[in-house]
Amino acid sequence: MNGWMSGILMLWNMGIVAGLMLGGMLVLRPVLLRLLTARQRTWLGMLGWYGTGMINVFGVLGWVHILPVTFRDLITPRTISRTVYQWPAYLPDVYRGTGEYAVALPGGKAVWVELTDGMLLAAVVVWLAGIAALSIWMWRRSRRLKALGRQGELLDPKDSGLKWLQEDRDTAVRLCRGLPTSFVYQGEEKIDGKRYDMIYLQAELPPQRRELVLRHEWNHLRMRHSWMKSWANIVLVSWWWNPILWVAYYYFCRDMELACDERTLQDLEMGEKRKQYAQTLVELASGKMLWGEPLAFGECGAVARVKAALAWHRQTWWIALGRWCVFALVFLFFVGGPSDIPFLPVEVVQAWQQAKVEVELPGGWRPEERWMSVERNGDVTLLAKDTQGVWHEMNYWCSAWDGRFYQTGGWETLSGTPDLTGFQQGLW
């Protein structure tokens, strides 16, 4: 039981990291709204959703440590000791049965809590029940939308009169009556042995509105937003207990819609069509959030989208360059982090006292003062001042694998008085 419980604690650590990373982006959001485009904010959001939902990606991005201080430096009190990817460990990464464990807070402060088998088992049951309930709810909503969409009439690309749609051989469109909103599914239907990305379009739309909505949904497919939202949805369901993820998911979906609006407005050449697009947003925006997979035209943040559409204009090259520089700086701030921090100092001290390590002393001298310091990577330094006033030093190492202490050398006589900063007296 202890082995799989340690794995569960690692997954919960991933959920905490995801919340902190995406929460940091939310704190910076008022600034990022001015400095980055919606598309750049979407990519930055994927750094949070994908970079924390895949432990190997998180680890690889951690190697890119260019800035003097990164966000990960600030939020990592210790790292998981059993993986090369150095995932932050707020909860203990190894469970050894009922006992007292240190919960690590950003900054390195420890809060000691009592963990029992029954307590953790109950938490796991609630966690899995929440995943199952949310998955079933979203699956049923998605199934109803798909069933409604498949009742629509398959549109011949030639009938659309849109050249850009006729050239896309992987996308099909259905005109559906009674749809609450137009939406898109990537790789949804198999027609004549080939799987198509599907756009389900409200049949009641007038021709001008239909073209604008169709272009918007097609841009979702071009920008791979369905894949992005699907992955974010998986992360959200997996760590549903983290409230920060729900807020971050809402704004992530809003940024995707704003990014798609920007792309659509860029494709439209005439100013009149851009005004019509803003008017279409006013008429069709429902303001309702679709928490499942589909991306719908009227979804999420209608007021913000209308304002952005009316204010949209093409960027000058120097503004675009400046925004890319800001994006690169923010990206580097959220990647790169510390490595090899398996312990809090108080954990090493507690382990030392529990292990009752017997320190062997040479026969030639006896200690008058005893000092000890511990490092976050498990290194232990012992200092002793003998009765003649001479100082001696010995080193141990605490293994993150088994919690045991291993001597890394014998006693060495020092030539002078050592610096006692960070040392504590009387711990051994």
Side-chain angles (χ1 to χ4, degrees):
M1 176 178 175
N2 292 351
W4 66 263
M5 194 61 75
S6 296
I8 294 294
L9 289 172
M10 185 186 76
L11 292 176
W12 290 350
N13 275 315
M14 293 171 65
I16 296 173
V17 174
L20 290 174
M21 290 282 287
L22 290 165
M25 296 177 188
L26 287 175
V27 171
L28 293 177
R29 184 174 177 82
V31 178
L32 299 181
L33 284 171
R34 294 179 176 274
L35 299 180
L36 299 181
T37 65
R39 192 175 188 182
Q40 290 168 335
R41 295 196 303 272
T42 301
W43 289 342
L44 191 63
M46 280 306 295
L47 174 64
W49 292 106
Y50 191 73
T52 57
M54 295 287 287
I55 193 168
N56 56 337
V57 175
F58 185 89
V60 170
L61 291 174
W63 301 339
V64 189
H65 200 300
I66 297 176
L67 300 181
V69 177
T70 68
F71 187 75
R72 294 194 195 182
D73 290 333
L74 301 176
I75 66 170
T76 305
R78 62 182 173 190
T79 56
I80 292 176
S81 57
R82 294 168 293 126
T83 172
V84 298
Y85 298 119
Q86 304 302 332
W87 198 274
Y90 307 95
L91 304 175
D93 69 308
V94 178
Y95 181 70
R96 302 184 180 90
T98 298
E100 198 173 42
Y101 294 85
V103 174
L105 303 180
K109 184 178 180 180
V111 177
W112 293 94
V113 296
E114 182 79 16
L115 296 180
T116 65
D117 294 347
M119 179 193 305
L120 289 178
L121 186 60
V124 170
V125 170
V126 172
W127 174 52
L128 295 178
I131 292 176
L134 277 173
S135 299
I136 293 172
W137 176 67
M138 291 182 178
W139 172 76
R140 292 181 64 181
R141 283 168 55 90
S142 178
R143 187 181 64 170
R144 284 198 297 266
L145 274 176
K146 289 179 180 179
L148 191 60
R150 287 180 178 179
Q151 296 174 7
E153 173 190 357
L154 192 62
L155 179 67
D156 189 332
K158 296 180 181 179
D159 296 338
S160 69
L162 302 176
K163 182 180 179 181
W164 47 269
L165 185 59
Q166 295 172 16
E167 294 174 351
D168 187 347
R169 301 182 180 274
D170 298 319
T171 303
V173 181
R174 286 191 182 275
L175 294 178
C176 314
R177 295 194 175 276
L179 281 185
T181 183
S182 300
F183 60 93
V184 62
Y185 267 103
Q186 201 146 2
E188 166 54 24
E189 287 193 39
K190 199 171 185 180
I191 303 173
D192 296 331
K194 180 180 178 180
R195 189 161 292 279
Y196 287 85
D197 299 330
M198 296 300 301
I199 299 175
Y200 298 105
L201 206 61
Q202 293 165 292
E204 296 83 1
L205 292 174
Q208 287 182 328
R209 298 288 189 263
R210 180 183 298 177
E211 177 185 348
L212 294 172
V213 174
L214 188 57
R215 187 181 285 274
H216 175 96
E217 298 299 338
W218 185 62
N219 279 330
H220 271 312
L221 296 172
R222 291 170 67 192
M223 300 169 77
R224 300 293 186 266
H225 284 172
S226 290
W227 172 80
M228 293 181 182
K229 187 175 181 180
S230 297
W231 179 255
N233 189 255
I234 292 173
V235 175
L236 177 69
V237 172
S238 299
W239 299 315
W240 56 266
W241 43 265
N242 193 328
I244 299 175
L245 297 186
W246 290 89
V247 180
Y249 184 81
Y250 174 83
Y251 284 106
F252 177 66
C253 292
R254 174 181 288 190
D255 282 339
M256 280 194 293
E257 292 299 333
L258 288 168
C260 198
D261 290 339
E262 289 177 353
R263 182 66 174 267
T264 304
L265 290 166
Q266 186 177 351
D267 292 340
L268 299 176
E269 297 179 357
M270 296 181 297
E272 188 61 32
K273 279 198 172 183
R274 293 172 188 157
K275 292 180 181 178
Q276 291 177 6
Y277 186 79
Q279 184 63 32
T280 304
L281 284 173
V282 173
E283 294 177 358
L284 299 181
S286 64
K288 295 180 180 179
M289 178 71 181
L290 293 182
W291 293 94
E293 181 184 346
L295 288 154
F297 179 81
E299 179 189 10
C300 198
V303 175
R305 290 175 61 192
V306 171
K307 289 181 178 179
L310 292 174
W312 183 87
H313 60 276
R314 293 187 184 277
Q315 300 180 72
T316 58
W317 69 268
W318 59 272
I319 291 180
L321 178 61
R323 284 180 166 169
W324 279 114
C325 291
V326 172
F327 174 80
L329 186 64
V330 176
F331 179 87
L332 291 174
F333 178 65
F334 280 100
V335 299
S339 60
D340 194 23
I341 311 175
F343 299 104
L344 298 175
V346 290
E347 289 180 293
V348 181
V349 172
Q350 185 199 49
W352 177 276
Q353 293 172 340
Q354 291 178 344
K356 298 180 179 179
V357 180
E358 295 185 4
V359 179
E360 297 182 3
L361 296 173
W365 56 271
R366 288 289 177 268
E368 184 178 73
E369 296 182 17
R370 303 169 186 249
W371 298 79
M372 184 173 80
S373 76
V374 297
E375 302 294 334
R376 298 174 74 185
N377 62 0
D379 289 340
V380 177
T381 302
L382 303 183
L383 292 177
K385 179 182 178 182
D386 64 23
T387 55
Q388 303 298 318
V390 179
W391 287 89
H392 308 268
E393 178 182 312
M394 177 187 275
N395 296 290
Y396 281 82
W397 170 65
C398 182
S399 170
W401 295 90
D402 55 17
R404 296 181 180 179
F405 289 87
Y406 297 90
Q407 188 174 330
T408 58
W411 283 100
E412 295 183 6
T413 301
L414 303 180
S415 59
T417 302
D419 182 5
L420 296 178
T421 303
F423 282 79
Q424 291 180 271
Q425 189 174 10
L427 294 180
W428 63 281

